[in-house]
Amino acid sequence: MVELEAPQMDQVFHALSDATRRNMLNSLAGGERTVSQLAEPFAMSLAAASKHIKALEHAGLIRREVRGRTHVCHLEARPLATAYEWLGAYARFWNSRLDVLEQLLREEAKRKTSTTQTMPPPAKPESSKPESSQQTSPRPTSSEGEDQ
């Protein structure tokens, strides 16, 4: 596993702890952006955006390039990759726990299925109408009650 030095790892996670900086990184994943473009979605001053960008630069997550009076930022993904690798150890921890849970749930479902198969089917419910209401009175035929 590639390891970052502890101070650099701390800086990466500090930079990622802020939603504005995470959104800036998401934007930079689509390509280079100017400081103005990074600040625009947040309705913040360029000075405030610059503070966020400095935190990202300090963590090594972006690189700023000056072109005349314009500052252009680029994503530097390597620190993200090493942080991801570091987090991967914890993913293995949770995956092993989830595998155990999955096995227990399968066993429980199997037990319920085998119990259901050995039980007789439920009895059909009796009709809710009383028998007297189900009978109909006979209709008179055309020959009954007629004078001939």
Side-chain angles (χ1 to χ4, degrees):
M1 177 190 309
V2 178
E3 295 206 19
L4 292 173
E5 294 180 23
Q8 187 179 5
M9 182 74 78
D10 292 345
Q11 293 164 358
V12 168
F13 284 111
H14 170 73
L16 294 174
S17 70
D18 184 86
T20 300
R21 292 191 286 267
R22 289 191 306 270
N23 284 319
M24 287 179 167
L25 287 176
N26 284 340
S27 179
L28 288 168
E32 66 182 35
R33 302 283 189 268
T34 65
V35 172
S36 297
Q37 290 171 324
L38 290 173
E40 185 179 342
F42 306 105
M44 66 173 60
S45 68
L46 291 179
S50 186
K51 286 182 181 181
H52 285 292
I53 290 168
K54 284 179 185 173
L56 293 167
E57 282 180 306
H58 191 65
L61 294 169
I62 66 170
R63 176 176 44 88
R64 190 184 329 203
E65 174 185 346
V66 180
R67 295 181 190 161
R69 294 179 59 174
T70 305
H71 290 232
V72 179
C73 299
H74 305 271
L75 177 66
E76 292 292 329
R78 187 182 176 328
L80 288 174
T82 51
Y84 178 78
E85 288 179 28
W86 183 81
L87 288 169
Y90 297 96
R92 287 187 293 279
F93 168 81
W94 283 109
N95 285 338
S96 68
R97 301 305 189 273
L98 290 172
D99 289 343
V100 170
L101 176 60
E102 180 182 23
Q103 183 61 36
L104 290 171
L105 291 172
R106 287 178 193 258
E107 289 171 7
E108 180 68 20
K110 194 178 207 180
R111 244 179 303 182
K112 285 183 179 180
T113 302
S114 66
T115 303
T116 305
Q117 289 175 351
T118 59
M119 295 178 65
K124 292 184 180 179
E126 299 271 336
S127 175
S128 60
K129 294 183 179 179
E131 287 212 20
S132 60
S133 67
Q134 291 179 352
Q135 295 176 350
T136 58
S137 56
R139 291 188 187 186
T141 61
S142 60
S143 62
E144 284 182 351
E146 286 184 16
D147 290 331
Q148 293 185 347

